[in-house]
Amino acid sequence: MDQPQLQSTPGIPINGQNSKSLRWKALYKKLAKNKAAMVGGYIVVFFVLLAIFAPLLATHNPNDMVVMNKLQSPSAEHWLGTDDVGRDIYSRLLYGARVSLTVGFLSTLIGAIAGVTLGIVAGYYGRWIDSFIMRLCDVLLAFPGILLALAIVSILGASTINVIFAVAFFAIPTFARIVRGSTLSIKKLEFIDAIRAMGSSDFRIIFKHILPNILSPIIVQATLYIASAIITASALSFLGLGTKPPTAEWGAMLSAGRHYISQAPHITLFPGIAILLVVVGFNLFGDGLRDALDPKTKK
């Protein structure tokens, strides 16, 4: 007995590609009813497009310093003004989106892969393997995320790569606990016992039957964690432990502008707004995605 399939619509076969198409359409319809989720999705897409097309949209080289133009207010030449060394804030904001979003996506991806692997192994095999992995996760979760990331970056050194691994490391226990709980509930179902009785290997059972059935909470958690990853990475850069100058990064831009917040508040205002919008966008979209993927939601 295999996993349950969707109820078919008259005249439309439900297997294969049509089944996936119907699931995506049903998911989109649920998301479309959630206005906040759609707004969050549009915000995320907007900033992703800005990051992708930054070279085409930028009006200046983000690293060009013109000291004579420093601390200028927004104008026709410099749309969002200039910073303390005369660099164009608008152009740096676009290129900073590339760094911040890359750190958010990559750290979440790395943390999700490691956490999902550990969570499935712990939930499926149980016993001492489960106890060992969960106690290790408990130890990691005992430390606040920013402090753990600070410790890791302090040891490895300040760089974008090290920030990605530091933020990803803290994501591992969160994903592991979520996946472990989902795995425990799925492996108790009758169709898993039937597949095991037919002689399927543990590898096939885990990756062909269990993992596809627990993707929903993984996707939701990944979407929500990207926002946390961006905040953590920005905080590290603000403290001087993230992306090295002169590379544009939102947290580093906030740090550079804090000394001129009364004289030229635009230096910190626009990077702060960018961080706020991206984080709110991912949170709104993640919340909507959670509701849309929840099988108990009937609306």
Side-chain angles (χ1 to χ4, degrees):
M1 181 177 179
D2 209 336
Q3 62 189 57
Q5 297 190 4
L6 292 174
Q7 185 178 358
S8 60
T9 303
I12 301 179
I14 198 65
N15 296 321
Q17 201 66 28
N18 287 324
S19 174
K20 294 181 180 179
S21 176
L22 287 176
R23 290 192 183 100
W24 282 110
K25 288 180 179 178
L27 175 61
Y28 178 77
K29 287 181 179 179
K30 285 188 175 182
L31 279 175
K33 294 178 180 179
N34 191 329
K35 302 302 181 183
M38 295 302 293
V39 170
Y42 290 141
I43 293 174
V44 171
V45 171
F46 173 73
F47 277 95
V48 169
L49 291 177
L50 288 182
I52 293 174
F53 296 106
L56 299 177
L57 299 174
T59 57
H60 296 76
N61 187 311
N63 297 325
D64 279 352
M65 295 182 288
V66 184
V67 180
M68 295 179 60
N69 294 334
K70 68 177 183 179
L71 303 179
Q72 286 190 359
S73 299
S75 62
E77 182 181 358
H78 300 283
W79 295 351
L80 301 182
T82 59
D83 62 9
D84 57 316
V85 291
R87 294 173 296 193
D88 184 69
I89 293 178
Y90 167 72
S91 300
R92 289 182 63 78
L93 208 63
L94 294 178
Y95 280 87
R98 284 186 156 190
V99 176
S100 296
L101 291 176
T102 298
V103 171
F105 282 114
L106 286 183
S107 60
T108 302
L109 178 63
I110 295 171
I113 292 174
V116 168
T117 302
L118 291 175
I120 286 184
V121 170
Y124 185 79
Y125 290 103
R127 293 181 293 183
W128 67 269
I129 298 177
D130 182 23
S131 298
F132 175 77
I133 293 176
M134 286 301 102
R135 296 300 76 76
L136 184 62
C137 290
D138 290 340
V139 171
L140 295 177
L141 289 173
F143 298 93
I146 185 64
L147 293 182
L148 188 60
L150 274 171
I152 295 173
V153 173
S154 299
I155 295 171
L156 298 178
S159 71
T160 304
I161 298 297
N162 291 340
V163 168
I164 291 174
F165 283 110
V167 178
F169 189 74
F170 180 68
I172 294 175
T174 305
F175 280 99
R177 293 183 70 89
I178 291 174
V179 171
R180 172 187 175 268
S182 299
T183 302
L184 286 173
S185 62
I186 292 295
K187 80 170 188 176
K188 295 178 181 179
L189 299 180
E190 294 180 357
F191 80 92
I192 295 295
D193 294 332
I195 294 169
R196 188 182 293 111
M198 293 171 62
S200 294
S201 64
D202 290 343
F203 183 87
R204 180 179 177 82
I205 293 173
I206 289 173
F207 289 98
K208 186 173 178 59
H209 299 285
I210 293 181
L211 184 58
N213 282 285
I214 62 174
L215 281 179
S216 295
I218 296 174
I219 294 172
V220 172
Q221 178 60 29
T223 305
L224 293 172
Y225 189 79
I226 292 174
S228 299
I230 291 173
I231 291 178
T232 304
S234 298
L236 291 174
S237 295
F238 183 86
L239 296 173
L241 295 174
T243 303
K244 294 182 179 179
T247 303
E249 199 275 337
W250 292 343
M253 293 173 68
L254 282 174
S255 179
R258 72 184 190 277
H259 302 293
Y260 306 94
I261 196 166
S262 58
Q263 182 181 356
H266 62 275
I267 300 179
T268 54
L269 176 63
F270 295 115
I273 290 176
I275 294 173
L276 174 65
L277 288 176
V278 168
V279 170
V280 169
F282 274 109
N283 280 324
L284 289 176
F285 184 70
D287 288 340
L289 198 60
R290 178 185 57 201
D291 295 338
L293 292 172
D294 187 355
K296 297 179 182 178
T297 303
K298 298 181 179 181
K299 294 183 178 181

